[in-house]
């Protein structure tokens, strides 16, 4: 009976999703003319044209000479920004929060780094168009759960297959053993929390010892060209590139002392790490800066984890870390409301980060952190044409995003939310 | 002897506490841009609050010997009102029966909750401390003022505010009672009958009491007193405003039909994610709507949502507010209101009404709060920039003419009391946003932990 219900819910999902698909994107040579271009890496250029061709930004300049075959969009009085990048979401991996069979980011197991988020990304998820129409073109889709819940992937929010969407970065996710309470109703005693944390640290150490051996055999194999017969251990296989420094480890950690422990562990193991979450980074900002480990933080609008810190502890966290010298990117850690990324960044801007740095924190900085700044994160010739046209400052909710490009595709500003608006604003039949 | 001294000290402290509870302040706010909400924008204007009430709005007001705030370059708006919140109460759900109209969230007010201070730090001065959505007919709710600093729960309450009650439709009561306890309601059919049964029985109950009261000396025993029946009867008499948790268009219309049949017209739908689908019907009945700015997809009944909900409702003539339902969002309702400008292009005034006069109307307190007018309560929020700008930061928040939040007098630790059991290093992770969703089901998940993922 339950199965029938679930199947019929899924059936309903699929049928209505098709009924509310958005318009198709278009592709081809196109020029954005006379815009104020916020390049991020090269200042703000007024009255400037951007030539988009073959998915790339072909040229940028004033009064570009055209062949006449290009589509031209008049952007006078408009602002162009590079597509925003969210450094941590479950987008694409979840359809309806409370319907667990539509959620694909939390697999069973504590040590499963081989689980691939990219595999489970649903290119037709309804939340994807809802997100991109706010100028967010690229996100990390990440697994969550136990110690090593899987491997995250950077995806562009456009395309019909996960491979179309893949934006060139994958990182293994790790939840650093936490000394905090999981949530407000976590009633464990302090001793139990400490015990659980110690146990998780011990597990981590054991995994790393085994990994050292596994990696040694692996590199010996590579040297000799022989493949030593080994048991199928996909979890270790997935971690070898991390061990060898060839892949990045995204370490989720929030509490001040946990952050310090994580930094020690990073130093000990020598992994190429990114700290994520880092809600209490402001308490240990100097130490993070000294380590040189970059940070993807957010959301700023989450409540502080302690009742006795200032109300704005999370709002000011990115700016405090930035001032200490930490490389800070901003994320929403959201699923269906990743569209709030510009507003999260705006919050950080208002609370000390400033507009320019907050813009970087959702463009070039995450691109650098994920090693894709040769393709994404700014408006530069040769980069992938991920950008949007806005009537004004995209952090301000009054601004409207009018035109959007992802991988050079001119993507309609449409989502289920706009379709419902158009249908129901003036209902027909009315009343 | 010693104990006596202690007792006297405690008594004296209690007296101070109860005195401060009734405290009303005098303040002159000079030279701000005043967003009155009901009477336009007034530049370079002063607002004088005397004895907790707005006594004068105008230019060059002078008043000697009272606290003066220079609001030059700043924006002065009425204190923000949240028509749906669960802060400042220790419990949310009495999840033991499909009808718990005999309980009051007002009995669980906790003036020490830090969320009250944090709400003030975002300009929110009044909130509707609601019962949860576990039951079709939930408990009665309390409208509170954020008088941070008072220690008497009674002093948090907005005395004179109309009574309100929580109703709930859809998945939550179905899940708790149908799935959880195998009793009605397990479907939206069952939810309807909970209301019809309760109202029908209350009609009989009212008749029985009316008959008895016509001749109380007849020697007959009075009918049995029943607090649930009393509450339902008071709803029928129009003495309680119904605030109904709802999502889907069909269930919203169902309740409208039920209320029409029983002559109940004071109704504000809460969440009401699919309200946009039946906006003309809501407008016609005079039903109001208190919505999220953009929450959706966290469960199936909010999958067919749109962030344009508030705009569609507003443009169809439904009195609409934006609420938080969340200790986080209540800190920046001004941003939530601004989202209606991205999603539906509401004007500044329309957007600001969503968090001021409209929620005041929905709570029946618009004669006292929700706009800057002479004679209204001295509840004011002062922002560094226009409050619909992402860059606005609340500077001072005033309740009854008393500054309850001042950004320049905001120490690290603003707790009023410290729990001796709380360890200094207690940190709470916020692992995933869905744990923040649907606060309406607080205190329920613990009981159903075995069958639900939370």
């Amino acid at each position: 009976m339950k199965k029938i219900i679930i199947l019929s819910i899924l059936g309903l999902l699929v049928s209505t999703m098709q009924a509310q698909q958005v318009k198709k994107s278009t592709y081809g040579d196109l020029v954005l003319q006379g815009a104020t271009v916020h390049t991020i890496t090269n200042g703000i250029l007024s009255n400037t044209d951007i030539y988009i061709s073959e998915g790339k930004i072909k040229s940028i300049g004033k009064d570009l000479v055209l062949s006449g075959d290009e589509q031209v969009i008049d952007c006078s009085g408009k602002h162009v920004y590079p597509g925003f990048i969210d450094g941590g979401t479950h987008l694409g991996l979840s359809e309806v929060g409370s319907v667990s069979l539509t959620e694909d980011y939390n697999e069973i197991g504590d040590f499963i780094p081989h689980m691939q988020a990219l595999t489970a990304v649903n290119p037709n998820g309804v939340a994807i168009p809802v997100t991109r129409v706010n100028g967010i073109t690229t996100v990390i889709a990440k697994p969550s759960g136990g110690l090593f819940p899987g491997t995250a992937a950077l995806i562009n929010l456009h395309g019909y297959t996960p491979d179309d969407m893949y934006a060139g970065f994958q990182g293994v996710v790790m939840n650093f053993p936490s000394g905090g309470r999981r949530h407000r109703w976590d009633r464990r005693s302090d001793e139990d929390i400490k015990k659980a944390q110690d146990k998780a640290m011990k597990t981590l150490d054991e995994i790393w010892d085994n990994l050292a051996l596994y990696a040694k055999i692996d590199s010996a194999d590579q040297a000799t060209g022989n493949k030593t017969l080994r048991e199928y251990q996909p979890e270790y296989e997935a971690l070898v590139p991390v061990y060898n420094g060839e892949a990045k480890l995204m370490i989720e950690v929030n509490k001040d002392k946990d952050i310090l422990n994580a930094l020690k562990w990073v130093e000990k193991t020598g992994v190429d790490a990114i700290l994520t979450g880092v809600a209490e980074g402001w308490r240990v900002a100097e130490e993070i800066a000294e380590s040189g480990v970059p940070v993807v933080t957010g959301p700023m609008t989450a409540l502080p984890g302690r009742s006795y810190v200032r109300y704005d502890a999370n709002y000011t966290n990115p700016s405090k870390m930035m001032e200490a010298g930490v490389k800070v990117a901003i994320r929403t850690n959201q699923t269906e409301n990743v569209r709030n990324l510009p507003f999260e960044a705006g919050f950080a801007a208002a609370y000390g980060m400033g507009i320019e740095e907050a813009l970087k924190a959702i463009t070039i900085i995450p691109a650098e952190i994920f090693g894709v700044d040769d393709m994404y994160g700014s408006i530069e010739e040769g980069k992938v044409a991920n950008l949007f046209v806005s009537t004004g400052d995209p952090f301000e909710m009054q601004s409207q995003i009018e035109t959007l490009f992802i991988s050079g595709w001119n993507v309609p500003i449409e989502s289920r939310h706009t379709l419902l608006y158009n249908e129901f604003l003036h209902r027909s039949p009315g009343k | 002897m010693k104990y006596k001294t202690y007792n006297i000290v405690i008594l004296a402290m209690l007296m101070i506490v109860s005195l401060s509870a009734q405290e009303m302040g005098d303040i002159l706010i000079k030279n701000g841009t005043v967003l009155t909400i009901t009477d336009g924008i007034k530049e370079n204007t002063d607002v004088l609050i005397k004895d907790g009430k707005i006594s004068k709005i105008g230019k060059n007001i002078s008043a000697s010997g009272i606290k003066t705030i220079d609001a030059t370059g700043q924006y002065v708006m009425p204190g923000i009102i949240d028509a749906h919140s669960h802060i400042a109460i220790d419990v949310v759900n009495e999840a033991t029966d499909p009808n718990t109209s005999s309980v009051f969230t007002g009995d669980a007010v906790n003036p020490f909750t830090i969320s009250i201070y944090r709400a003030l730090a975002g300009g929110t001065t009044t909130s509707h401390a609601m019962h949860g959505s576990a039951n079709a007919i939930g408990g009665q709710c309390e409208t509170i003022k954020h008088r941070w600093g008072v220690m008497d729960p009674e002093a948090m309450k907005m005395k004179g505010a109309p009574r309100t009650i929580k109703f709930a439709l859809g998945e939550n009561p179905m899940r708790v009672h149908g799935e959880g306890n195998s009793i009605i309601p397990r479907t939206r059919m069952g939810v309807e009958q909970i209301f019809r049964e309760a109202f029908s029985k209350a009609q009989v109950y009212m008749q029985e009491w009316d008959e008895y009261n016509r001749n109380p000396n007849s020697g007959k025993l009075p009918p049995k007193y029943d607090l649930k029946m009393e509450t339902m009867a008071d709803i029928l008499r129009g003495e309680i405003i119904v605030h109904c948790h709802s999502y889907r268009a069909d269930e919203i219309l169902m309740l409208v039909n039920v209320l029409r049949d029983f002559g109940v017209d004071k109704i504000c739908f809460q969440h009401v994610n699919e309200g946009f689908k039946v906006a003309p019907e809501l407008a016609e009945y005079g039903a109001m709507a208190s919505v999220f700015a953009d929450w959706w997809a966290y469960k199936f009944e909010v999958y067919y949502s749109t962030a344009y909900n508030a705009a569609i409702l507003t443009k169809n003539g439904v009195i609409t507010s934006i609420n938080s339902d969340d200790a986080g969002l209540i800190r920046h309702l001004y941003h939530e209101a601004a989202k209606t400008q991205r999603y539906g292009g509401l004007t500044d005034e329309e957007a600001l009404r969503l968090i001021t006069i409209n929620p005041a109307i929905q709570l029946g307190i618009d004669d006292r709060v929700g706009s800057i007018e002479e004679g209204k309560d001295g509840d004011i929020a002062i922002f560094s920039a226009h409050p619909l700008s992402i860059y606005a930061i609340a500077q001072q928040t005033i309740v009854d003419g008393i500054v309850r939040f001042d950004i320049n007098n905001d120490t690290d630790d603003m707790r009023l009391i410290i729990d001796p059991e709380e360890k200094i290093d207690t940190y709470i992770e916020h692992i995933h946003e869905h744990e923040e969703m649907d606060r309406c089901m607080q205190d329920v998940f613990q009981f159903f932990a075995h069958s639900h993922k939370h």
Side-chain angles (χ1 to χ4, degrees):
Chain A
M1 183 61 195
K2 252 197 173 156
K3 263 188 192 156
I4 293 170
I5 293 170
I6 288 159
L7 282 177
S8 51
I9 286 178
L10 287 178
L12 196 68
L13 279 181
V14 170
S15 60
T16 37
M17 244 151 43
Q18 281 164 348
Q20 295 191 40
Q21 247 167 17
V22 299
K23 267 190 228 125
K24 283 179 186 171
S25 305
T26 57
Y27 195 76
D29 288 359
L30 187 145
V31 179
L32 300 173
Q33 220 163 40
T36 301
V37 181
H38 300 254
T39 66
I40 304 298
T41 44
N42 190 29
I44 300 169
L45 312 173
S46 62
N47 197 21
T48 295
D49 306 341
I50 300 173
Y51 197 118
I52 297 167
S53 180
E54 291 173 1
K56 298 272 172 63
I57 299 169
K58 188 177 162 195
S59 52
I60 303 164
K62 288 192 198 294
D63 303 320
L64 290 180
V65 180
L66 308 182
S67 72
D69 296 334
E70 308 87 352
Q71 191 193 338
V72 174
I73 298 178
D74 177 17
C75 290
S76 48
K78 305 287 165 63
H79 298 259
V80 180
Y81 292 84
F84 292 155
I85 302 171
D86 192 324
T89 79
H90 291 311
L91 191 55
L93 303 175
S94 170
E95 200 60 37
V96 179
S98 70
V99 183
S100 59
L101 290 175
T102 70
E103 289 193 306
D104 289 307
Y105 54 80
N106 196 343
E107 190 46 85
I108 293 169
D110 200 40
F111 178 37
I112 47 170
H114 53 301
M115 296 296 157
Q116 299 296 322
L118 191 61
T119 303
V121 166
N122 174 8
N124 301 304
V126 168
I128 287 175
V130 170
T131 304
R132 68 190 179 203
V133 297
N134 269 10
I136 299 117
T137 60
T138 312
V139 306
I140 287 282
K142 67 180 171 106
S144 63
L147 187 57
F148 287 97
T151 298
L154 190 70
I155 54 169
N156 285 317
L157 298 182
H158 187 253
Y160 291 102
T161 68
D163 288 344
D164 284 349
M165 300 170 79
Y166 181 59
F169 168 81
Q170 280 179 295
V172 174
V173 175
M174 170 191 185
N175 287 302
F176 199 80
S178 167
R181 292 183 183 278
R182 291 187 204 109
H183 45 75
R184 253 172 287 182
W185 301 284
D186 178 354
R187 299 272 155 81
R188 290 177 300 166
S189 69
D190 286 8
E191 290 69 33
D192 286 347
I193 291 171
K194 182 83 177 74
K195 257 186 232 163
Q197 189 186 16
D198 289 346
K199 193 173 159 221
M201 277 311 293
K202 202 168 154 243
T203 305
L204 178 57
D205 287 343
E206 282 168 11
I207 288 171
W208 222 256
D209 288 346
N210 292 338
L211 177 62
L213 184 63
Y214 194 96
K216 208 181 272 176
I217 298 169
D218 198 70
S219 67
D221 278 0
Q222 296 215 348
T224 59
N226 297 323
K227 177 90 179 159
T228 310
L229 205 57
R230 272 173 278 170
E231 212 182 308
Y232 179 63
Q233 288 182 308
E235 48 289 86
Y236 287 106
E237 197 71 48
L239 279 183
V240 166
V242 173
Y243 185 85
N244 292 335
E246 294 154 4
K248 287 182 198 279
L249 186 64
M250 303 176 76
I251 304 175
E252 179 75 15
V253 62
N254 284 295
K255 187 173 182 256
D256 54 357
K257 284 182 186 160
D258 296 343
I259 296 169
L260 295 180
N261 287 336
L263 289 176
K264 270 184 215 146
W265 186 84
V266 166
E267 201 183 348
K268 189 177 84 180
T269 56
V271 297
D272 189 357
I274 302 164
L275 296 187
T276 65
V278 205
E280 291 207 302
W282 57 280
R283 287 173 171 265
V284 290
E286 299 289 337
E287 288 87 344
I288 302 171
E290 215 167 285
S291 74
V293 177
V295 162
V296 180
T297 192
M300 270 56 70
T301 47
L303 283 165
R306 303 174 196 258
S307 58
Y308 54 88
V309 295
R310 273 181 66 116
Y311 78 96
D312 64 357
N314 282 9
Y315 301 166
T316 56
N317 187 34
S319 74
K320 283 178 178 162
M321 286 194 281
M322 185 192 76
E323 276 160 28
V326 181
K327 185 170 206 156
V328 182
I330 285 171
R331 70 170 190 189
T332 59
N333 206 28
Q334 253 283 352
T335 306
E336 63 276 357
N337 274 340
V338 174
R339 59 179 163 184
N340 282 332
L341 180 68
F343 310 142
E344 286 283 340
F347 232 112
Y351 282 85
M353 205 174 198
I355 296 173
E356 197 183 335
E357 295 300 327
L359 272 172
K360 285 183 185 167
I362 55 173
T363 53
I364 193 68
I365 300 277
E368 286 171 5
I369 290 175
F370 302 130
V372 293
D373 52 310
D374 56 331
M375 294 188 287
Y376 302 109
S378 65
I379 297 183
E380 290 180 64
E381 288 175 4
K383 284 202 176 182
V384 174
N386 275 13
L387 45 88
F388 65 89
V389 181
S390 172
T391 56
D393 178 352
F395 292 172
E396 291 281 22
M397 293 163 187
Q398 294 74 25
S399 304
Q400 297 292 332
I401 310 302
E402 295 189 329
T403 313
L404 170 70
F405 294 87
I406 303 178
S407 307
W409 286 87
N410 187 352
V411 183
I413 302 295
E414 258 189 13
S415 72
R416 174 184 287 173
H417 290 219
T418 66
L419 294 177
L420 289 172
Y421 179 60
N422 293 337
E423 180 176 356
F424 285 97
L425 175 60
H426 300 298
R427 223 177 55 183
S428 181
K431 177 73 192 169
Chain B
M1 182 60 203
K2 249 190 180 169
Y3 284 111
K4 245 183 195 168
T5 321
Y6 282 140
N7 282 338
I8 289 164
V9 170
I10 288 167
L11 256 177
M13 279 173 66
L14 278 175
M15 279 178 70
I16 291 165
V17 165
S18 54
L19 279 176
S20 67
Q22 287 138 25
E23 202 185 344
M24 296 286 174
D26 300 333
I27 288 183
L28 177 59
I29 304 161
K30 293 286 291 178
N31 208 29
T33 300
V34 180
L35 309 169
T36 65
I37 307 300
T38 46
D39 189 26
I41 301 168
K42 297 179 189 298
E43 309 275 354
N44 304 319
T45 296
D46 306 342
V47 178
L48 177 65
I49 300 170
K50 289 207 89 167
D51 202 24
K53 302 272 181 206
I54 297 168
S55 75
K56 207 173 171 192
I57 303 158
K59 301 215 188 254
N60 304 315
I61 299 173
S62 57
S64 58
I66 69 168
K67 182 181 169 66
T68 302
I69 295 171
D70 179 13
T72 306
Q74 299 184 330
Y75 286 76
V76 179
M77 71 174 287
I80 293 166
I81 299 167
D82 187 354
H84 191 135
S85 157
H86 303 290
I87 68 163
I89 45 177
D90 281 332
V91 289
V92 172
N93 271 297
E94 174 62 44
T96 50
D97 192 276
N99 178 352
T100 55
S101 54
S102 53
V103 305
F104 299 80
T105 61
D107 290 338
V109 171
N110 177 355
F112 303 110
T113 323
I114 194 71
S115 298
I116 301 166
Y117 179 74
R118 289 173 175 164
L120 280 168
T124 309
T125 52
T126 300
S127 62
H128 187 208
M130 298 191 82
H131 190 273
S133 54
N135 317 325
I137 301 171
Q140 298 181 57
C141 311
E142 193 70 40
T143 300
I144 62 167
K145 282 228 204 176
H146 298 161
R147 300 182 178 112
W148 181 251
V150 304
M151 302 199 189
D152 176 4
E154 286 302 311
M156 294 297 293
K157 298 178 181 175
M158 184 173 181
K159 291 276 147 47
R163 292 164 65 192
T164 60
I165 190 166
K166 176 75 166 274
F167 282 7
L169 315 178
E171 288 184 17
N172 287 3
M174 286 156 58
R175 203 162 54 148
V176 172
H177 297 290
E179 280 185 18
N181 302 330
S182 291
I183 57 170
I184 290 175
R186 192 165 63 194
T187 67
R188 288 177 174 79
M189 299 188 291
V191 175
E192 176 186 15
Q193 296 310 321
I194 299 289
F195 299 114
R196 291 197 179 274
E197 181 183 346
F199 281 131
S200 300
K201 285 182 173 170
Q203 285 177 329
V204 174
Y205 180 84
M206 284 164 77
Q207 273 176 19
E208 285 173 353
W209 272 100
D210 286 348
E211 268 168 41
Y212 173 78
N213 284 333
R214 267 197 292 276
N215 194 2
N217 301 320
S218 67
K220 279 187 192 162
L221 283 174
K224 189 179 162 194
Y225 177 84
D226 184 319
L227 185 49
K228 282 186 190 175
M229 292 289 178
E230 290 285 336
T231 308
M232 299 313 293
D234 285 344
I235 297 171
L236 292 172
R237 291 186 190 106
E239 288 169 14
I240 301 178
I241 305 170
V242 175
H243 283 261
C244 186
H245 166 112
S246 57
Y247 290 110
R248 260 173 40 182
D250 51 290
E251 65 189 17
I252 292 162
L253 289 182
M254 174 277 286
L255 192 73
V256 168
N257 288 334
V258 169
L259 295 181
R260 187 185 284 120
D261 289 349
F262 289 92
V264 176
D265 56 8
K266 290 181 179 169
I267 169 70
C268 178
F269 285 96
Q270 291 284 343
H271 307 321
V272 53
N273 276 45
E274 289 192 10
F276 68 93
K277 292 183 176 174
V278 289
E281 284 79 4
L282 292 176
E284 184 188 59
Y285 194 70
M288 300 180 279
S290 182
V291 307
F292 291 127
D294 59 7
W295 282 14
W296 72 294
Y298 48 94
K299 55 173 157 176
F300 193 72
E301 61 187 352
V302 293
Y303 190 54
Y304 296 94
S305 300
T306 173
Y308 294 79
N309 195 22
I312 297 173
L313 288 163
T314 299
K315 291 174 184 179
N316 277 275
V318 179
I319 292 173
T320 303
S321 70
I322 299 270
N323 67 55
S324 78
D325 190 18
D326 179 80
L329 278 189
I330 197 172
R331 302 171 302 161
H332 47 95
L333 279 168
Y334 48 103
H335 287 164
E336 297 302 294
K339 284 177 181 170
T340 62
Q341 304 193 297
R342 171 74 56 100
Y343 310 121
L346 291 193
T347 64
D348 284 0
E349 193 186 305
E350 284 171 330
L352 286 172
R353 287 181 73 97
L354 299 172
I355 52 170
T356 54
I357 194 70
N358 286 5
I361 293 168
Q362 294 172 347
L363 297 174
I365 51 176
D366 52 307
D367 56 332
R368 284 179 55 190
V369 292
S371 62
I372 298 183
E373 291 179 59
E374 288 174 4
K376 281 201 169 182
D377 291 5
D379 295 0
I380 303 282
I382 304 174
F383 283 89
S384 60
H386 193 289
L388 296 172
S389 166
I390 193 82
Y391 306 112
I393 295 175
Q395 302 296 303
Q396 299 195 59
T397 309
I398 297 160
V399 183
D400 303 322
I402 295 168
V403 176
R404 297 289 183 184
F405 164 76
D406 181 349
I407 198 166
N408 296 312
N409 185 20
D410 173 53
T411 58
D412 282 346
D413 187 354
M414 288 301 297
R415 288 175 299 176
L416 293 174
I417 55 162
I418 292 159
D419 179 357
E421 305 251 312
E422 187 181 330
K423 301 289 195 305
I424 193 74
D425 203 33
T426 298
Y427 178 80
I428 300 166
E429 303 266 4
H430 294 275
I431 293 168
H432 190 258
E433 76 274 7
H434 287 306
E435 297 191 345
E436 290 302 304
M437 288 293 179
D438 228 2
R439 190 69 333 123
C440 281
M441 288 292 272
Q442 186 176 323
D443 307 320
V444 176
F445 295 127
Q446 287 93 326
F447 299 119
F448 292 94
H450 56 284
S451 58
H452 298 292
K453 70 196 191 86
H454 285 262

